[in-house]
């Protein structure tokens, strides 16, 4: 039988739990409660009290086409970055799982990008994708101004999608490789003996057994694309040009800290949280039914 640790006194257990509960309250519940309260009030920029306005902040947001554009851009960014990050990571994991030459080195190298902080990553890609001296500057020497994230909104969106996807390829790679390692080799070998090629083995055996991992990573990547993209957008584009990369999370920061619209920013944060919850529910409701658990 398993031995479980027990405390002779309830007080001792509470003492050990208290620091974590305090951190959760201070950095999660208290800010969330404040944001919820501010969302229904008119908060003064320089203090001096607030006024209860009910749903006025939400009505103003939902009637603002600029805010709806930020929602659309966030959805496009989330879908594009998730598709690229998961697709590339799956291909890399499949090649690494086949134990090609230098596969042990690949396992370490592919994980490194996830350890880089988003602002540092954004700064690096800002130079890498710079139109005047970056890797794509050769395109401008052939076709002038074909690539310019500083002036072209589509180029700017492509740049932040590439940067964010590159960061999460390593994260997805870890899970895909672990899931592939858990598939019995006897199944792969039996399929190979029956004449199934590598592509057929991937489609008929490996992908169906990877669906739990695929579903988990889909939820995580979609959620993180709405929350963890601020650092990259702030460093690379600052929401520009002409708000072409102003995602929901960046608009919260811009309106709250630069526009001093604390109530509006609080309402935006509530809508963002609700949208993430809604997307998660939709994924569990309509996508999980296709998952084949072992």
């Amino acid at each position: 039988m398993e031995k479980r640790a027990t405390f002779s006194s309830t007080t001792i257990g509470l003492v050990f739990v208290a620091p974590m509960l305090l951190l959760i309250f201070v950095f999660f519940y208290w800010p969330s409660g404040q944001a919820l309260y501010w969302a229904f009030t008119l908060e003064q920029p320089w203090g001096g009290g607030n006024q209860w306005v009910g749903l006025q902040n939400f009505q103003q947001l939902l009637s603002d086409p600029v805010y709806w554009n930020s929602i659309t851009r966030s959805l496009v960014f989330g879908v594009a970055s998730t598709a690229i990050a998961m697709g590339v990571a799956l291909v890399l994991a499949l090649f690494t799982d086949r134990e090609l030459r230098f596969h042990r080195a690949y396992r370490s190298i592919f994980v490194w990008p996830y350890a880089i902080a988003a602002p540092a990553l954004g700064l690096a890609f800002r130079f890498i994708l710079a139109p005047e001296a970056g890797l794509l500057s050769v395109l401008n020497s052939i076709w002038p101004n074909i690539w310019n994230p500083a002036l072209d909104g589509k180029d700017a969106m492509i740049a932040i999608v590439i940067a964010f996807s590159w960061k999460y390829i390593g994260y997805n790679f870890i899970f895909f490789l672990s899931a592939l390692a858990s598939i019995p080799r006897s199944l792969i070998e039996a399929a190979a003996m029956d004449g199934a090629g590598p592509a057929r083995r991937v489609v008929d055996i490996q992908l169906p057994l990877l669906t739990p991992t695929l579903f988990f990573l889909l939820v995580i990547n979609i959620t993180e694309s709405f929350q963890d993209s601020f650092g990259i957008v702030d460093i690379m584009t600052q929401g520009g040009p002409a708000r072409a990369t102003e995602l929901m999370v960046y608009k919260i920061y811009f309106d709250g800290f630069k526009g001093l619209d604390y109530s509006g920013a609080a309402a935006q944060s509530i809508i963002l949280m609700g949208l993430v919850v809604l997307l998660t529910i939709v994924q569990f409701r309509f996508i999980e039914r296709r998952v084949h658990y072992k």
Side-chain angles (χ1 to χ4, degrees), residues 2 37 50 65 97 107 135 155 160 175 191 253 266 276 279-280:
E2 295 183 1
Y37 176 69
N50 45 28
D97 185 63
R107 292 183 180 182
L135 293 178
D155 292 347
I160 62 174
F175 286 92
Y253 159 78
V276 171
L279 290 174
T280 304

Side-chain angles (χ1 to χ4, degrees), residues 198-217:
R200 177 60 61 182
R201 295 198 296 269
V202 169
V203 173
D204 292 344
I205 297 178
Q206 292 177 303
L207 282 183
L209 294 176
L210 285 177
T211 49
T213 304
L214 285 166
F215 176 70
F216 166 76
L217 290 177

Side-chain angles (χ1 to χ4, degrees), residues 253-283:
Y253 159 78
F254 186 87
D255 290 353
F257 290 94
K258 293 190 176 182
L260 299 180
D261 183 10
Y262 299 136
S263 299
Q268 291 181 50
S269 66
I270 300 301
I271 294 177
L272 175 59
M273 181 178 64
L275 180 60
V276 171
V277 171
L278 177 62
L279 290 174
T280 304
I281 292 175
V282 169
Q283 292 175 86

Side-chain angles (χ1 to χ4, degrees), residues 96-132:
T96 305
D97 185 63
R98 292 191 65 193
E99 298 187 355
L100 301 178
R101 191 176 183 183
F102 305 121
H103 69 279
R104 296 185 183 275
Y106 298 152
R107 292 183 180 182
S108 300
I109 295 173
F110 291 156
V111 176
W112 291 349
Y114 185 67
I116 302 176
L121 180 65
L123 184 61
F125 270 89
R126 184 174 180 178
F127 287 101
I128 292 173
L129 300 179
E132 64 278 356

Side-chain angles (χ1 to χ4, degrees):
M1 295 181 61
E2 295 183 1
K3 294 183 178 180
R4 302 181 61 183
T6 58
F7 295 101
S8 58
S9 174
T10 305
T11 305
I12 298 177
L14 293 176
V15 169
F16 281 104
V17 174
M20 183 58 66
L21 293 178
L22 181 62
L23 288 174
I24 293 175
F25 176 78
V26 172
F27 293 103
F28 181 77
Y29 288 111
W30 177 255
S32 299
Q34 286 289 96
L36 185 62
Y37 176 69
W38 287 359
F40 294 95
T41 61
L42 185 61
E43 188 74 18
Q44 301 299 324
W46 310 109
N50 45 28
Q51 178 184 358
W52 181 265
V53 294
L55 298 175
Q56 178 180 327
N57 294 318
F58 295 95
Q59 292 172 351
Q60 290 180 351
L61 284 174
L62 297 179
S63 61
D64 184 5
V66 174
Y67 185 66
W68 281 105
N69 288 337
S70 71
I71 295 177
T72 302
R73 285 189 290 268
S74 298
L75 291 172
V76 171
F77 174 83
V79 172
S81 60
T82 298
I84 295 174
M86 291 184 62
V88 174
L90 179 59
V91 172
L92 294 176
L94 288 171
F95 278 108
T96 305
D97 185 63
R98 292 191 65 193
E99 298 187 355
L100 301 178
R101 191 176 183 183
F102 305 121
H103 69 279
R104 296 185 183 275
Y106 298 152
R107 292 183 180 182
S108 300
I109 295 173
F110 291 156
V111 176
W112 291 349
Y114 185 67
I116 302 176
L121 180 65
L123 184 61
F125 270 89
R126 184 174 180 178
F127 287 101
I128 292 173
L129 300 179
E132 64 278 356
L135 293 178
L136 299 182
S137 60
V138 63
L139 296 178
N140 287 332
S141 64
I142 301 174
W143 299 284
N145 292 324
I146 193 173
W147 171 259
N148 194 341
L151 299 177
D152 193 312
K154 293 181 180 179
D155 292 347
M157 178 61 75
I158 292 173
I160 62 174
V161 167
I162 291 174
F164 186 86
S165 302
W166 189 81
K167 175 179 173 61
Y168 275 86
I169 285 174
Y171 178 86
N172 297 330
F173 171 79
I174 298 172
F175 286 92
F176 280 135
L177 190 61
S178 299
L180 288 170
S182 66
I183 298 176
R185 288 293 176 182
S186 58
L187 293 177
I188 308 299
E189 294 172 357
M193 293 178 64
D194 288 341
R200 177 60 61 182
R201 295 198 296 269
V202 169
V203 173
D204 292 344
I205 297 178
Q206 292 177 303
L207 282 183
L209 294 176
L210 285 177
T211 49
T213 304
L214 285 166
F215 176 70
F216 166 76
L217 290 177
L218 178 64
V219 174
I220 294 298
N221 278 256
I222 289 292
T223 301
E224 292 300 315
S225 68
F226 282 87
Q227 299 178 351
D228 195 31
S229 54
F230 168 78
I232 292 176
V233 174
D234 186 48
I235 296 298
M236 294 185 66
T237 64
Q238 293 82 45
R243 293 185 170 180
T245 58
E246 189 180 56
L247 307 183
M248 294 178 69
V249 66
Y250 187 80
K251 184 170 174 56
I252 293 173
Y253 159 78
F254 186 87
D255 290 353
F257 290 94
K258 293 190 176 182
L260 299 180
D261 183 10
Y262 299 136
S263 299
Q268 291 181 50
S269 66
I270 300 301
I271 294 177
L272 175 59
M273 181 178 64
L275 180 60
V276 171
V277 171
L278 177 62
L279 290 174
T280 304
I281 292 175
V282 169
Q283 292 175 86
F284 273 92
R285 178 67 178 83
F286 297 102
I287 300 179
E288 191 186 22
R289 64 179 60 181
R290 300 178 181 272
V291 175
H292 303 282
Y293 292 100
K294 298 178 183 179

